[in-house]
Amino acid sequence: MLEKVEIDLPASSESLAKLTPGSVVYLNGVVYTAREGVYDRILNCGEALPVPLAEVTNANFHCSPAAALNDDGSYRIGAVTATASFRFSKYMGNWLDATGTKVVIGKGGMPAEDYRKILAPRGALYLTTVGYGTGALLGRGIRRVRSVHWLEELGIAQAMWLFEVRDFGPFLVDSDLAGNSLFAQQGELVNRNIEQVYEGLRKPALLRYGETDDRKDELI
């Protein structure tokens, strides 16, 4: 049975230290969104953070919200669709240093080396969404939009949103504070027996340029 844990944000080092790869996590507090558009403005263009993030939250969600404007000027979020975090590896070290972020949330995980060399040394870990099609489920955990920044300049997907959340999840712990990765662990288990799956099959008659018939090279 999977362990279910609730984390209040900003997350304390003590609460994060209890999380192990494979645990199921729900979040309470404030979560902010930021991806390449925000990272570029802050880290490369030198713009200031629009809010003192470290005082409010330390959880960064890589996602695109389905946002609709209400008559009173507020927003309602019907769903939040996670995006692949590995695309943002080049920003992570500097971003964590600049913001004090300790929880990175997204889809599909990041390279295991990033967990060991970037997140873990900074006391940060990674949570991943559970499968596909969970955007509406996650949307139920968003109580209100606290603020939104650079909406006109960057658009809905790239803007920085701050969500007040309750029972926000489920998320799976991919990496812990030691840099261990659930995805990497499971990948190693699969790779141990991958040759047996294809044992006795003929090699492909035709290969596209650059392809390999080493099955281990096809798995991350």
Side-chain angles (χ1 to χ4, degrees):
M1 183 175 181
L2 296 176
E3 179 187 14
K4 176 182 174 181
V5 183
E6 289 195 11
I7 298 291
D8 293 328
L9 301 171
S12 67
S13 298
E14 293 76 17
S15 65
L16 296 181
K18 298 177 182 178
L19 299 181
T20 57
S23 296
V24 177
V25 174
Y26 288 81
L27 303 174
N28 302 308
V30 177
V31 170
Y32 77 90
T33 74
R35 40 195 288 190
E36 67 267 35
V38 171
Y39 296 155
D40 183 66
R41 294 180 80 93
I42 301 297
L43 300 177
N44 297 333
C45 300
E47 294 196 33
L49 287 168
V51 293
L53 281 178
E55 299 176 10
V56 178
T57 180
N58 54 6
N60 178 186
F61 192 10
H62 295 150
C63 73
S64 176
L69 184 64
N70 295 318
D71 293 338
D72 62 2
S74 64
Y75 290 90
R76 64 183 181 277
I77 305 298
V80 279
T81 302
T83 192
S85 297
F86 69 86
R87 298 184 294 130
F88 313 129
S89 289
K90 65 180 181 180
Y91 299 104
M92 279 294 96
N94 291 334
W95 184 255
L96 299 184
D97 291 341
T99 62
T101 294
K102 302 298 182 185
V103 179
V104 180
I105 312 165
K107 178 180 71 177
M110 299 179 70
E113 186 173 277
D114 286 3
Y115 298 148
R116 295 191 301 268
K117 295 184 177 181
I118 298 177
L119 271 70
R122 293 170 171 83
L125 50 70
Y126 185 85
L127 306 180
T128 183
T129 51
V130 182
Y132 289 88
T134 58
L137 176 62
L138 293 175
R140 298 175 187 174
I142 298 176
R143 293 296 179 257
R144 75 180 186 96
V145 174
R146 181 174 179 140
S147 63
V148 58
H149 308 275
W150 298 311
L151 181 59
E152 292 185 4
E153 298 92 332
L154 298 177
I156 291 176
Q158 295 283 347
M160 175 182 280
W161 297 82
L162 275 76
F163 301 138
E164 292 187 4
V165 301
R166 185 73 183 172
D167 296 326
F168 189 47
F171 300 106
L172 271 180
V173 178
D174 180 18
S175 79
D176 61 15
L177 293 186
N180 300 307
S181 168
L182 175 67
F183 289 168
Q185 292 170 357
Q186 295 306 307
E188 290 176 3
L189 291 175
V190 171
N191 281 343
R192 291 176 189 175
N193 301 313
I194 194 67
E195 292 299 335
Q196 296 178 18
V197 175
Y198 294 93
E199 188 175 353
L201 297 179
R202 293 181 179 181
K203 289 187 176 182
L206 296 174
L207 290 177
R208 293 172 295 184
Y209 180 76
E211 275 193 335
T212 175
D213 58 7
D214 184 343
R215 303 296 176 180
K216 295 179 181 179
D217 288 341
E218 298 180 3
L219 297 174
I220 297 177

